[in-house]
DNA sequence: GGCTAAGCGAGACGGTACGTCTTGTCTTTAG
DNA sequence: CTAAAGACAAGACGTACCGTCTCGCTTAGCC
C-alpha cells in the first residue's frame, strides 16, 4: 500500500528545487493562466506524481516557488531608522514602488495576487509568511516615531501602515495612474501630515 | 461558413441577458475558478457558440455580467454634498466598506479582480467604465471642498482619492485586518487631516 | 404560418442548378465524408434553408447531383447489337471498366455507393432510376441472344446479368486486384461459356 | 506534454477490449451513421483520449471491433474438400449468402463497406487481413479442382474467384433482387459451367 | 400595374460531436 | 523501493456543422 502521507524526511531536494525553479521559469515564460502542472513537471524533469505528492494545488506550488525566491538570506525585515522619519519612509516607499514597477516581478506578483483571491487559505499563509513581517517592520518604525513624539500619540499602527501602503498598492493594482517615485513621495507627505501630533 | 464578424443588429437580446444572468448565478454557486463556459451555456439554455460569438474569453463574459448588474439606471455617479465634508466622505466610505464586506458581492469582486491581473486589456476597459466614474465623482467632491477652502489649495485630486480608497481596498484585498466602519472612519479622519489647509 | 409543403411551381431554377453544381464541385474537392451542407450553400451562393426546403438529407442532394449529371440526353439505355454477342458484351464491359477506373468518377461513385449502404430508401430510388435501366438493357441483349440460340434457352436474365456485372463490380469495390480490360474480357469469356447452350 | 507515440507495451487490455465491445454494441443499436466516439467512450467507461491514443479514426475503431469479433479461434480459413467440387462450392456459397442475409451482421457489414469506400488505407488493411484469407482459400480449392481435372487447366484463380463471389456480392450490395440459396446455387452452376474443361 | 404571398440570401440560434488539452490517479519500468 | 515516465478516466476547451428560425429583399402571379 502506498503511504497516504509521504515521509518528508525522504524527500528529494533535487526534485524539490528543480520543481520550484521550473515553476518560476514557466511563470515568466507563459504567465500564470497558461501555467500547467504537466509543463512544470516536464521542464523540471520530474514525474507529475512527485508534484502532486508534495503540493495540493497549482497555486501552492507557485506560492512556494515565489517564497523560495524571496527568502534569500534569513527572512528578518527591518526598516531604516536614521531618525529622519520622512526621509526613511520615502526610502522604503520608493523601494516598494520600484519593485512593483519592475516588469520582471510585476507579472509574478499579479499572478500570486490573483491566486490569493481565489484561495483564502493560501492568502492567509502568504499574509503571515511574507506580508506580515513587512507590515510589522513598518509598524515598528512608526511606533518608534511615536515614542520620539514625531507623530500623534494615539497612533493605531495597523491603520497607519495602510495609509502608506494602501494608495501605492491601489494604484499598482488598478493601474489608475502611473506609479512612480513622485507619487510615493506625495503619499508619504500626506499620510505623515495626517499623522502629525495635534 | 460562419461569418467572422457577427452582425450586432441581429443579436438576440434573450440570449444575451440569459447568458449574463447565468454567469452571475454560476459565479455565485461555484466561484470563478470552477466557472466554465459549458456550465454557463447549459444554465442559460444557450449554445456554446452563442457565447463564443459575442465574447472573446471567459473573463470578458464575467466582466459584462458584472457590468450589466452594476449599471442599473443610467450610469452616472455622484457623491453626496451636504457641505459637511467629513460626514459626506464617511457616508461614502462606509458604503464602500459595506459593499466589500458583503459576502454575496465579495466573491464576485475578487473573481473580477483576479481576472484583471491576468488580462490587461480587460483591466483597462473595466477601469474606464466602472472605476473611473467612481473615482472621478470622488475627485469632484474633493475639488468642491478645495474651492470651499476646506482642504489645502494645492490638492492633487488623483493622489487624494487614493489616500481614501487605497487603505480600504488594501485591507480588503489582503485581509490584513478586519474591514469595518470603524476603520473607514479612521481612514477618513487621517486622510482628511493630511489634506487640511496649511 | 410558413408553408410546410413548398410550392414546386415557384422553385428557382437558378438556385436548384447552382446547388447541384456546387455539390459536384465540393464532392470532387473534399470527398463525400467532408462534404457539408454549409459548404454547398456557400459555394452555391445560396441560403441553407433553400437546400433544406427541397432535399431531406445530404445523401439526397448528392444523389440528385449525380443523377442530374448522368441524365444527359433522354435517359434511355440500349446495348449495341451487332449480332456478334461476345464482341458486343466485350464492348459494354470494357466501357463499364473504363468508367469505374476513371479517377474522376471513381470518387463520386464510391461516395454514392457508401451512402446507399446507410440509406435504404435512397438505395431503392437510385436502383430504380439509374441502375435498373442499365441492367434491363443488359438483360434485353441477353434475351435476344437466347432467342437467336446463342445461349441456353432456360436463361434467367436476372441471374445472368449478375454473372457479368458482379465480378467487375466486386473487384472495383474491394480492390482485390487491378481492374482492366483484360479482366473484362476474361469475365465475358467465362460467363458466356457458363451460359452456352447445352 | 503527452507522448506523441504511445508505448504499446503499456496499453491497458481492459480499456482496449471494452472499447471494442462498446463499439459493437453501439453499432448494433444506432447504426454506423449515428455512431460517435463520445458514445463509445461513455459506454466503454473510458476517456475519449484513450480511443484517440490508439486509433486514428472512427472507421479504424469499427474495423478493429469487427476484426476482433471475426477472429475467433486462430484465423486460418479453409474450404471443405469432399472431392465433390460443385457440392463443396454450394456449401460455401450458401454459407456466404446466409451470413449476408442475416440482419444482425448485415448492418455491420454495410457500415464497414461504406467506410472502406471513403478510406482507402483502411480498405487495404481489411482486404489483407479479412478478405484475402477467404479468397485465397477459395482459390486454393479451385486449384485443387484444376489439378484433379475438374476445371479447365488454364484457370486463373484470381478471376475465377470473382466469378463466384461477384454476383452474390453485387446482389447483396445493390439489392437488385432477393438474395437466397437458390441464387447461390445458380451462380455456382453457371460459374462452374464457365470453367469446365474444354 | 400594384398587392401579396412565396421563395430567396443571409446568418443567429440551440444543439451535438469533434479532436485536443489538462487534471489528478494509478501502473509500469528502470535505476 | 523510489521516482521517472506515462496510460488512464474525466471533463472543459474552442470549432465545425447540424437543422430551425427569423429577417429583409426580390419575384412571381392574381387581382
Amino acid at each position: 500500500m502506498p503511504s497516504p502521507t509521504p515521509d518528508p524526511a525522504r524527500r528529494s531536494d533535487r526534485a524539490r528545487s528543480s520543481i520550484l525553479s521550473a515553476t518560476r521559469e514557466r511563470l515568466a515564460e507563459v504567465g500564470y493562466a497558461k501555467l500547467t502542472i504537466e509543463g512544470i513537471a516536464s521542464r523540471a524533469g520530474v514525474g507529475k506524481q512527485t508534484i502532486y505528492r508534495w503540493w495540493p494545488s497549482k497555486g501552492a506550488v507557485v506560492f512556494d516557488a515565489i517564497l523560495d525566491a524571496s527568502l534569500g538570506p534569513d527572512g528578518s525585515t527591518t526598516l531604516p531608522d536614521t531618525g529622519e522619519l520622512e526621509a526613511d519612509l520615502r526610502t522604503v516607499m520608493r523601494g516598494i514602488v520600484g519593485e512593483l514597477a519592475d516588469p520582471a516581478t510585476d507579472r509574478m506578483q499579479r499572478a500570486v495576487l490573483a491566486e490569493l483571491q481565489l484561495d483564502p487559505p493560501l492568502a492567509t499563509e502568504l499574509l503571515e509568511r511574507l506580508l506580515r513581517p513587512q507590515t510589522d517592520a513598518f509598524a515598528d518604525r512608526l511606533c518608534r516615531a511615536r515614542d520620539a513624539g514625531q507623530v500623534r500619540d494615539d497612533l493605531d499602527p495597523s491603520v497607519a501602515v495602510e495609509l502608506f501602503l494602501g494608495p501605492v498598492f491601489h494604484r499598482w493594482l488598478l493601474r489608475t495612474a502611473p506609479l512612480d517615485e513622485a507619487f510615493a513621495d506625495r503619499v508619504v507627505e500626506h499620510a505623515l501630515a495626517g499623522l502629525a501630533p495635534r
Side-chain angles (χ1 to χ4, degrees), chain A:
Chain A
M1 197 193 317
S3 171
T5 49
D7 178 357
R10 318 193 64 161
R11 184 168 187 181
S12 153
D13 241 334
R14 195 179 57 68
R16 179 180 180 279
S17 59
S18 71
I19 288 168
L20 296 182
S21 303
T23 301
R24 285 188 294 269
E25 289 169 32
R26 299 295 298 157
L27 201 50
E29 285 169 23
V30 302
Y32 186 83
K34 297 199 172 175
L35 188 68
T36 66
I37 297 280
E38 301 207 332
I40 296 171
S42 115
R43 167 67 60 96
V46 139
K48 283 198 293 176
Q49 197 53 50
T50 305
I51 298 181
Y52 285 113
R53 183 152 36 232
W54 301 109
W55 288 275
S57 70
K58 187 173 77 169
V61 185
V62 171
F63 171 76
D64 256 22
I66 288 181
L67 215 63
D68 179 75
S70 316
L71 264 56
D74 56 347
S76 78
T77 321
T78 9
L79 261 56
D81 187 352
T82 64
E84 282 279 352
L85 179 60
E86 184 158 6
D88 288 353
L89 292 176
R90 248 206 289 260
T91 306
V92 172
M93 292 284 279
R94 286 181 172 192
I96 293 175
V97 163
E99 201 181 334
L100 291 177
D102 174 13
T105 53
D106 180 276
R107 186 174 223 178
M108 222 178 264
Q109 304 256 20
R110 290 188 192 274
V112 180
L113 197 131
E115 189 63 19
L116 290 186
Q117 303 314 309
L118 310 173
D119 189 343
L122 209 63
T124 307
E125 199 182 351
L126 178 123
L127 174 64
E128 293 304 324
R129 294 175 56 187
L130 255 191
L131 213 67
R132 183 77 70 199
Q134 295 178 11
T135 54
D136 282 357
F138 212 113
D140 272 1
R141 182 66 188 82
L142 288 175
C143 286
R144 281 199 298 279
R146 180 193 53 195
D147 299 343
Q150 295 168 307
V151 298
R152 50 199 286 184
D153 52 10
D154 66 339
L155 174 103
D156 177 343
S158 83
V159 173
V161 166
E162 316 243 31
L163 294 177
F164 290 90
L165 299 182
V168 166
F169 210 63
H170 186 263
R171 186 166 276 203
W172 170 71
L173 199 72
L174 297 176
R175 297 176 251 237
T176 43
L179 182 63
D180 51 23
E181 301 205 330
F183 177 68
D185 291 352
R186 299 224 60 182
V187 169
V188 169
E189 178 200 346
H190 282 109
L192 221 39
L195 295 173
R198 282 164 303 189

